[in-house]
Amino acid sequence: MKPNIAIIGLGLIGGSLGLALKRNPSLQVTGYDRSFSTLEQAFRRGIIDTIATSIENACEHADVIIFATPVNTTVAMMHQAVNWKLRTDVIMTDTGSTKGPIMDAAKQLLERGITFIGGHPMAGSHKSGVTAAKEHLFENAYYILTPDSQTDSAKVEQLRVLLGPTKGKIVVLDSEEHDRMTAIVSHFPHLVASSLVGRLSAQQEEQPFVKKLAAGGFRDLTRIASADPIMWRDITTQNREELLKQLDGWLEEMENVRNMLKSNDPDEIYNYFAGAKQFRDDLP
Ligand code: NAD
């Protein structure tokens, strides 16, 4: 029998995973989403082979279950999963942008002998929903796995092989390390982007024309502020501690910028921009 993969949540990430996994013709993909029109679209686009009528139904015979819902929803589902009928050898994973609270919620599953391996494909978009799903989304992007320290490495290897068709670069990290690093490169920049948009919005009454000037640079810098607010509310509440640390560092940085502006030393200002340019240009 073909291995059965259940994907819960068929938006941008779940839909893209379905498309990528179906490059392996020996997999049978079952989908569940709270939106029936999403399920219908996913079926029509060949993202899934079967529509499940309930989450329990999707998971009961699955060899692998992938949660691709907003992170607070995933945590709630994992609490419910303790009462579901599941295969004893099932591997559960998720795609959430935060890993600490998800690995905490996984404890009760792990205690019951169910394998849960946290997952985060680090590719995405400010667009959401099944219509934005793309087969190539994860290619060459890091795909992070955060197994519990007790998890059998053979199971991690099994999941790594299953995810092969995504063509992502799979790396294993500790969940705390994951949340610390994603706060720096993803979650805090999101807050900054939204705050820049907030500053524009607050000043547009006095400067009605300013909105029209918000082109090139402003748009590039704030593109991510157009992402789904539910997803970002959940990420922010789950990674709050790391975000507060980043905010403290940012306030310190802005204080230095303020002092630099006050002293108005052209060399100091040049060095500030030159240092940032060099680091940015050298990013891999
Ligand atoms: P999305 O909004 O495109 O899709 C989420 C899907 O989950 C929707 O189809 C929605 O109907 C479904 N859903 C929500 N609540 C549900 C419920 N209770 N039961 C069943 N289905 C439900 O979001 P997305 O961008 O695909 O994000 C999914 C996950 O992947 C999130 O945890 C997010 O943190 C993570 N992630 C997102 C990105 C990104 O750039 N968008 C990147 C990497 C990881």
Side-chain angles (χ1 to χ4, degrees):
M1 231 171 50
K2 288 181 169 185
N4 192 320
I5 315 300
I7 304 180
I8 312 301
L10 289 153
L12 170 72
I13 300 295
S16 300
L17 264 178
L19 286 170
L21 295 182
K22 281 183 55 56
R23 285 167 165 165
N24 174 354
S26 72
L27 298 178
Q28 170 79 17
V29 180
T30 302
Y32 175 74
D33 197 287
R34 65 174 175 185
S35 147
F36 193 71
S37 76
T38 294
L39 279 168
E40 270 184 330
Q41 267 194 74
F43 183 75
R44 256 189 281 119
R45 282 189 64 187
I47 292 172
I48 55 174
D49 301 298
T50 322
I51 292 177
T53 49
S54 70
I55 193 165
E56 289 91 338
N57 210 255
C59 296
E60 188 173 351
H61 302 293
D63 297 282
V64 175
I65 300 169
I66 305 174
F67 294 104
T69 42
V71 284
N72 286 353
T73 306
T74 302
V75 166
M77 284 173 174
M78 287 166 64
H79 288 304
Q80 292 159 15
V82 183
N83 301 314
W84 296 343
K85 255 207 263 162
L86 299 168
R87 289 178 60 116
T88 51
D89 58 351
V90 67
I91 297 179
M92 278 189 181
T93 184
D94 77 307
T95 62
S97 308
T98 47
K99 293 275 69 79
I102 281 168
M103 292 313 292
D104 285 346
K107 279 193 186 120
Q108 49 188 334
L109 293 164
L110 295 165
E111 279 162 14
R112 284 189 53 201
I114 294 165
T115 302
F116 182 91
I117 300 168
H120 179 196
M122 292 207 53
S125 159
H126 57 288
K127 296 189 182 141
S128 54
V130 70
T131 46
K134 288 193 198 113
E135 181 178 332
H136 301 280
L137 188 67
F138 310 111
E139 282 182 22
N140 297 318
Y142 281 105
Y143 195 126
I144 298 168
L145 297 181
T146 63
D148 177 78
S149 57
Q150 308 295 314
T151 298
D152 184 353
S153 55
K155 291 281 194 183
V156 180
E157 193 47 35
Q158 214 179 315
L159 183 58
R160 186 196 286 272
V161 170
L162 176 96
L163 294 171
T166 63
K167 302 187 186 169
K169 294 186 275 190
I170 299 189
V171 288
V172 172
L173 282 182
D174 168 75
S175 56
E176 281 180 22
E177 207 181 351
H178 168 277
D179 287 357
R180 208 173 306 127
M181 291 197 287
T182 50
I184 300 169
V185 296
S186 167
H187 306 169
F188 190 68
H190 200 92
L191 276 184
V192 173
S194 297
S195 71
L196 287 173
V197 175
R199 291 290 302 139
L200 173 63
S201 154
Q203 293 173 93
Q204 64 156 349
E205 210 170 299
E206 288 161 35
Q207 305 281 343
F209 194 65
V210 70
K211 236 168 118 178
K212 294 201 170 57
L213 298 183
F218 189 87
R219 283 186 180 266
D220 284 354
L221 204 57
T222 58
R223 178 184 54 80
I224 52 179
S226 289
D228 179 32
I230 294 179
M231 178 174 130
W232 282 97
R233 175 200 64 193
D234 286 11
I235 292 170
T236 302
T237 54
Q238 288 203 5
N239 209 13
R240 179 174 156 269
E241 296 296 330
E242 290 299 334
L243 280 171
L244 283 169
K245 285 186 211 157
Q246 287 305 313
L247 184 61
D248 288 344
W250 171 257
L251 291 174
E252 208 176 295
E253 172 86 11
M254 287 300 107
E255 198 50 45
N256 293 339
V257 169
R258 183 208 291 271
N259 290 336
M260 179 176 82
L261 292 178
K262 278 187 177 160
S263 38
N264 207 20
D265 173 353
D267 290 339
E268 194 192 351
I269 297 171
Y270 171 84
N271 288 336
Y272 185 75
F273 289 127
K277 171 176 164 49
Q278 176 147 19
F279 196 86
R280 175 68 171 80
D281 291 350
D282 288 348
L283 284 179

